Amino acid sequence: ASPDAEVWSRQEGRLVGDVARQGNHLFVATESRSVLALEGASGRVLWKSLPGGLLLSGPLAAGPVVVVQTSEGTVGLDAGSGREVWRVDSVAPLAAVPGSVIVRSEYGAGAVLDPEDGSVQLDGVPGDLRPASPFVITIEDDRLLVAWRLGEV
């Protein structure tokens, strides 16, 4: 087959946010309030979940869970089954780094969650974590490193 040949396609309605990828799996959120896991090679639906409320963000793949923001909170879905594992109040997940999910409140304050159970690892992350403020977020040697667009780390 030509490198430009279509391998597969499927219609699931309008997507919310970006597509997340982890290994050979793709995760999508739709305006019809569903989150789907697709096999990357074939497009086959592995699972479909309805986490409740309107989906406000695309999914974040965070190891054992796929994280989405709904109108009812941030939800961690089991990456293998789509079953809800945890739910917390927050405005939006910002980033998934190995072993952590970083979320923010409506006022820009942040927290670091354990992707396994949604428990808070670090609360009150300093600075303004509203969209477009942080440039790079990572965890290194048990420290949260945030590089701001204005050059502050």
Side-chain angles (χ1 to χ4, degrees), residues 60-149:
L60 282 175
V65 296
V66 175
V67 181
V68 292
Q69 180 63 36
T70 76
S71 56
E72 298 175 3
T74 300
V75 180
L77 304 171
D78 181 86
S81 68
R83 180 184 58 82
E84 184 175 315
V85 178
W86 52 263
R87 179 180 297 261
V88 297
D89 288 331
S90 74
V91 171
L94 286 177
V97 294
S100 301
V101 174
I102 301 162
V103 297
R104 71 173 174 85
S105 74
E106 65 183 301
Y107 304 107
V112 179
L113 307 180
D114 183 329
E116 298 274 343
D117 60 11
S119 62
V120 176
Q121 294 175 324
L122 175 65
D123 197 9
V125 173
D128 184 355
L129 293 180
R130 284 179 289 209
S133 293
F135 184 66
V136 177
I137 302 174
T138 188
I139 293 186
E140 196 171 288
D141 298 326
D142 294 329
R143 292 191 187 120
L144 175 66
L145 303 175
V146 180
W148 307 96
R149 294 190 191 282

Side-chain angles (χ1 to χ4, degrees), residues 50-67:
L50 298 167
L54 295 173
L55 291 169
L56 305 175
S57 75
L60 282 175
V65 296
V66 175
V67 181

Side-chain angles (χ1 to χ4, degrees), residues 11-19 27-32 34 36 58:
Q11 181 60 38
E12 293 294 338
R14 295 180 61 115
L15 298 184
V16 176
D18 294 328
V19 174
F27 302 97
V28 297
T30 71
E31 285 185 352
S32 61
S34 61
L36 292 93

Side-chain angles (χ1 to χ4, degrees), residues 40-59:
S42 68
R44 181 174 62 93
V45 176
L46 301 171
W47 54 257
K48 182 176 185 176
S49 179
L50 298 167
L54 295 173
L55 291 169
L56 305 175
S57 75

